[in-house]
PDB file of all heavy atoms in Angstrom:
ATOM      1  N   LEU B1349     102.713 -95.382 111.483  1.00 98.00           N
ATOM      2  CA  LEU B1349     103.551 -96.017 110.444  1.00 98.00           C
ATOM      3  C   LEU B1349     103.419 -97.538 110.539  1.00 98.00           C
ATOM      4  O   LEU B1349     103.126 -98.241 109.466  1.00 98.00           O
ATOM      5  CB  LEU B1349     104.986 -95.518 110.657  1.00 98.00           C
ATOM      6  CG  LEU B1349     106.035 -95.901 109.642  1.00 98.00           C
ATOM      7  CD1 LEU B1349     107.201 -94.925 109.566  1.00 98.00           C
ATOM      8  CD2 LEU B1349     106.695 -97.328 109.971  1.00 98.00           C
ATOM      9  N   ALA B1350     103.585 -98.092 111.714  1.00 98.00           N
ATOM     10  CA  ALA B1350     103.396 -99.577 111.865  1.00 98.00           C
ATOM     11  C   ALA B1350     102.049-100.059 111.512  1.00 98.00           C
ATOM     12  O   ALA B1350     101.848-101.096 110.971  1.00 98.00           O
ATOM     13  CB  ALA B1350     103.769 -99.926 113.313  1.00 98.00           C
ATOM     14  N   HIS B1351     101.069 -99.222 111.925  1.00 98.00           N
ATOM     15  CA  HIS B1351      99.591 -99.584 111.613  1.00 98.00           C
ATOM     16  C   HIS B1351      99.422 -99.647 110.101  1.00 98.00           C
ATOM     17  O   HIS B1351      98.773-100.662 109.645  1.00 98.00           O
ATOM     18  CB  HIS B1351      98.751 -98.497 112.217  1.00 98.00           C
ATOM     19  CG  HIS B1351      97.290 -98.888 111.933  1.00 98.00           C
ATOM     20  ND1 HIS B1351      96.558 -99.860 112.664  1.00 98.00           N
ATOM     21  CD2 HIS B1351      96.402 -98.481 111.002  1.00 98.00           C
ATOM     22  CE1 HIS B1351      95.358 -99.880 112.160  1.00 98.00           C
ATOM     23  NE2 HIS B1351      95.250 -99.084 111.182  1.00 98.00           N
ATOM     24  N   GLY B1352      99.956 -98.755 109.347  1.00 98.00           N
ATOM     25  CA  GLY B1352      99.772 -98.788 107.891  1.00 98.00           C
ATOM     26  C   GLY B1352     100.400-100.057 107.286  1.00 98.00           C
ATOM     27  O   GLY B1352      99.790-100.675 106.353  1.00 98.00           O
ATOM     28  N   ILE B1353     101.555-100.464 107.776  1.00 98.00           N
ATOM     29  CA  ILE B1353     102.213-101.705 107.359  1.00 98.00           C
ATOM     30  C   ILE B1353     101.281-102.898 107.625  1.00 98.00           C
ATOM     31  O   ILE B1353     101.091-103.829 106.788  1.00 98.00           O
ATOM     32  CB  ILE B1353     103.565-101.854 107.959  1.00 98.00           C
ATOM     33  CG1 ILE B1353     104.478-100.711 107.575  1.00 98.00           C
ATOM     34  CG2 ILE B1353     104.165-103.177 107.636  1.00 98.00           C
ATOM     35  CD1 ILE B1353     105.777-100.583 108.316  1.00 98.00           C
ATOM     36  N   ALA B1354     100.763-102.938 108.873  1.00 98.00           N
ATOM     37  CA  ALA B1354      99.952-104.121 109.236  1.00 98.00           C
ATOM     38  C   ALA B1354      98.692-104.186 108.328  1.00 98.00           C
ATOM     39  O   ALA B1354      98.258-105.309 107.938  1.00 98.00           O
ATOM     40  CB  ALA B1354      99.519-103.912 110.740  1.00 98.00           C
ATOM     41  N   GLU B1355      98.099-103.021 108.012  1.00 98.00           N
ATOM     42  CA  GLU B1355      96.948-102.999 107.065  1.00 98.00           C
ATOM     43  C   GLU B1355      97.353-103.620 105.804  1.00 98.00           C
ATOM     44  O   GLU B1355      96.538-104.398 105.148  1.00 98.00           O
ATOM     45  CB  GLU B1355      96.446-101.587 106.886  1.00 98.00           C
ATOM     46  CG  GLU B1355      95.878-100.940 108.206  1.00 98.00           C
ATOM     47  CD  GLU B1355      94.392-100.859 108.167  1.00 98.00           C
ATOM     48  OE1 GLU B1355      93.703-101.332 107.216  1.00 98.00           O
ATOM     49  OE2 GLU B1355      93.834-100.246 109.136  1.00 98.00           O
ATOM     50  N   ASP B1356      98.546-103.269 105.242  1.00 98.00           N
ATOM     51  CA  ASP B1356      98.982-103.805 103.968  1.00 98.00           C
ATOM     52  C   ASP B1356      99.057-105.334 104.038  1.00 98.00           C
ATOM     53  O   ASP B1356      98.688-106.059 103.085  1.00 98.00           O
ATOM     54  CB  ASP B1356     100.282-103.223 103.581  1.00 98.00           C
ATOM     55  CG  ASP B1356     100.208-101.887 103.087  1.00 98.00           C
ATOM     56  OD1 ASP B1356      99.091-101.388 102.800  1.00 98.00           O
ATOM     57  OD2 ASP B1356     101.221-101.139 102.964  1.00 98.00           O
ATOM     58  N   VAL B1357      99.700-105.842 105.119  1.00 98.00           N
ATOM     59  CA  VAL B1357      99.943-107.296 105.274  1.00 98.00           C
ATOM     60  C   VAL B1357      98.519-107.980 105.244  1.00 98.00           C
ATOM     61  O   VAL B1357      98.385-108.959 104.530  1.00 98.00           O
ATOM     62  CB  VAL B1357     100.668-107.562 106.570  1.00 98.00           C
ATOM     63  CG1 VAL B1357     100.671-109.099 106.801  1.00 98.00           C
ATOM     64  CG2 VAL B1357     102.086-107.048 106.474  1.00 98.00           C
ATOM     65  N   LEU B1358      97.599-107.397 105.920  1.00 98.00           N
ATOM     66  CA  LEU B1358      96.218-108.059 106.045  1.00 98.00           C
ATOM     67  C   LEU B1358      95.589-108.030 104.710  1.00 98.00           C
ATOM     68  O   LEU B1358      94.926-109.011 104.327  1.00 98.00           O
ATOM     69  CB  LEU B1358      95.470-107.419 107.186  1.00 98.00           C
ATOM     70  CG  LEU B1358      96.012-107.685 108.562  1.00 98.00           C
ATOM     71  CD1 LEU B1358      95.296-106.800 109.592  1.00 98.00           C
ATOM     72  CD2 LEU B1358      95.969-109.134 108.935  1.00 98.00           C
ATOM     73  N   ALA B1359      95.656-106.868 104.081  1.00 98.00           N
ATOM     74  CA  ALA B1359      95.009-106.779 102.704  1.00 98.00           C
ATOM     75  C   ALA B1359      95.571-107.798 101.737  1.00 98.00           C
ATOM     76  O   ALA B1359      94.805-108.411 101.009  1.00 98.00           O
ATOM     77  CB  ALA B1359      95.196-105.313 102.163  1.00 98.00           C
ATOM     78  N   ALA B1360      96.885-107.992 101.855  1.00 97.00           N
ATOM     79  CA  ALA B1360      97.528-108.914 100.878  1.00 97.00           C
ATOM     80  C   ALA B1360      97.130-110.372 101.255  1.00 97.00           C
ATOM     81  O   ALA B1360      97.123-111.231 100.273  1.00 97.00           O
ATOM     82  CB  ALA B1360      99.093-108.848 101.003  1.00 97.00           C
TER      83      ALA B1360
END
Side-chain angles (χ1 to χ4, degrees):
Chain B
L1349 185 153
H1351 179 80
I1353 295 167
E1355 295 253 6
D1356 285 346
V1357 171
L1358 295 171

